[in-house]
Amino acid sequence: MTVQEISSIASLPIMTEAAHQVYPIATLYIVATPIGNVTDISLRALHLLSLADAVACEDTRNTAHLLTRFGLNKPLIAAHQHNEREVAQTLIARLHAGERIALVSDAGTPAVSDPGARIVDAVRAAGLRVLPLPGPSAAITAISASGLLNDQFYFVGFLPAKAKQRENMLHSLRGVTATMVFYEAPHRILDCATALVEAFEPTRQVVFARELTKLFEEIHRCPLSEAEAWIRADAHREKGEFVVLLEGATQAQDAEDVEAERILNILLAECSVKQAANLTAQITGRKKNALYERALQLKGQE
């Protein structure tokens, strides 16, 4: 960007308006920060961060680096998943003293698959104000570029790390008609893809959004049957943070079908396929043959 272009941005009327925003004291501000590209920070977020008496953050090193890039230097308070309840009391005391406290995570919006929810809960319970400053979200960014035609989405977040727990969760989602949104770490992305292939129909569309807004951003959409091969085709595809979008079911399973499969899964852990199908049929009134076929599929996925 040229000097002239920078000057023209600084002279825009909106810059004056940003400078006259009102930020009440004794307030906890939930501040969304960039998920990759540092220039995605909002004018409002920058102004609030410049006014804040302190910044509560997931990792003080990451936030210190971010603030430095904006020319800011603020007292930092570590607020991560292991100390949220304790640090909330410290923040509440400072808020009662009339301070403005900003709450940020390492990237994106706090309290969405990141620390922050317990702090917000405690601050609200104390009768203090919580004011959100919207901004970057990896989930919304991925959905907007996916092309999946669905007015609804179901945010799942991170799947369990243990295979059996992950399998159980995914099977419970088979009837969801909304686009499903998962977050995944690079070292588990292949396991995630394998689990999705085993749990859902191979024709469903899946979108892998990797390193969103960063230099090596990649957004790939394919049938679920091709997911594992795509990841294995390039070692770089097991690097970076992922948002995974999965096409929803074409027809909703009714509540009775969902319950029947839940019971079938429980019984399969203790009984043979035939016994599990028979017992589930007796308990739910569903057709025994269909349950037997489904039981065989579930056993084959173990």
Side-chain angles (χ1 to χ4, degrees):
M1 185 176 287
T2 66
V3 173
Q4 290 86 349
E5 288 171 327
I6 294 172
S7 298
S8 65
I9 291 173
S11 64
L12 289 174
I14 191 64
M15 302 302 287
T16 301
E17 185 174 330
H20 288 87
Q21 294 282 308
V22 176
Y23 298 95
I25 62 171
T27 300
L28 177 70
Y29 292 87
I30 314 302
V31 184
T33 54
I35 57 176
N37 191 318
V38 71
T39 60
D40 285 338
I41 192 78
S42 74
L43 294 177
R44 193 169 170 225
L46 275 178
H47 192 190
L48 181 279
L49 288 171
S50 72
L51 295 174
D53 295 290
V55 178
C57 52
E58 187 176 0
D59 187 315
T60 56
R61 295 165 299 180
N62 290 340
T63 299
H65 177 67
L66 180 69
L67 293 178
T68 297
R69 296 187 71 177
F70 298 133
L72 299 173
N73 181 20
K74 294 289 177 176
L76 302 178
I77 302 169
H80 46 73
Q81 62 177 335
H82 303 297
N83 74 344
E84 276 192 84
R85 286 297 184 192
E86 295 82 354
V87 79
Q89 300 310 309
T90 299
L91 299 182
I92 288 169
R94 297 185 68 152
L95 292 170
H96 275 304
E99 293 190 2
R100 299 181 184 93
I101 304 291
L103 174 65
V104 304
S105 61
D106 284 346
T109 303
V112 181
S113 282
D114 272 331
R118 291 184 177 86
I119 291 172
V120 172
D121 179 50
V123 170
R124 286 194 175 280
L128 292 160
R129 185 173 183 181
V130 176
L131 201 159
L133 276 62
S137 164
I140 299 301
T141 302
I143 291 170
S144 71
S146 71
L148 293 175
L149 305 180
N150 198 326
D151 292 335
Q152 299 178 322
F153 68 89
Y154 184 100
F155 183 75
V156 181
F158 286 97
L159 289 168
K162 294 184 177 179
K164 191 61 180 177
Q165 293 176 353
R166 183 168 58 235
E167 176 189 326
N168 290 340
M169 175 179 281
L170 290 176
H171 279 294
S172 74
L173 299 172
R174 285 175 57 86
V176 173
T177 56
T179 297
M180 284 166 274
V181 184
F182 305 92
Y183 284 169
E184 195 52 271
H187 65 281
R188 287 205 303 263
I189 189 60
L190 188 55
D191 288 341
C192 173
T194 301
L196 291 174
V197 169
E198 292 175 348
F200 297 93
E201 301 87 346
T203 54
R204 290 205 196 194
Q205 292 288 302
V206 64
V207 176
F208 295 98
R210 185 177 73 87
E211 293 288 81
L212 287 172
T213 78
K214 300 177 185 177
L215 181 62
F216 297 106
E217 174 183 280
E218 187 170 18
I219 301 174
H220 178 76
R221 175 173 161 178
C222 64
L224 193 50
S225 59
E226 300 174 10
E228 293 171 287
W230 179 77
I231 294 171
R232 294 180 188 276
D234 186 341
H236 290 96
R237 291 173 185 161
E238 293 186 63
K239 297 179 181 179
E241 299 300 320
F242 281 85
V243 180
V244 181
L245 308 178
L246 181 66
E247 185 180 20
T250 54
Q251 291 183 341
Q253 289 180 300
D254 62 32
E256 291 181 355
D257 285 336
V258 173
E259 178 64 7
E261 181 149 329
R262 186 185 73 82
I263 293 170
L264 190 60
N265 268 302
I266 293 171
L267 292 175
L268 281 171
E270 305 294 336
C271 307
S272 68
V273 168
K274 185 176 181 180
Q275 288 174 317
N278 287 341
L279 289 170
T280 303
Q282 293 176 41
I283 294 168
T284 65
R286 314 306 280 178
K287 291 182 179 180
K288 183 168 60 177
N289 289 344
L291 289 168
Y292 181 77
E293 291 299 321
R294 182 60 187 147
L296 286 175
Q297 292 174 358
L298 292 172
K299 270 295 185 183
Q301 293 167 1
E302 291 182 352

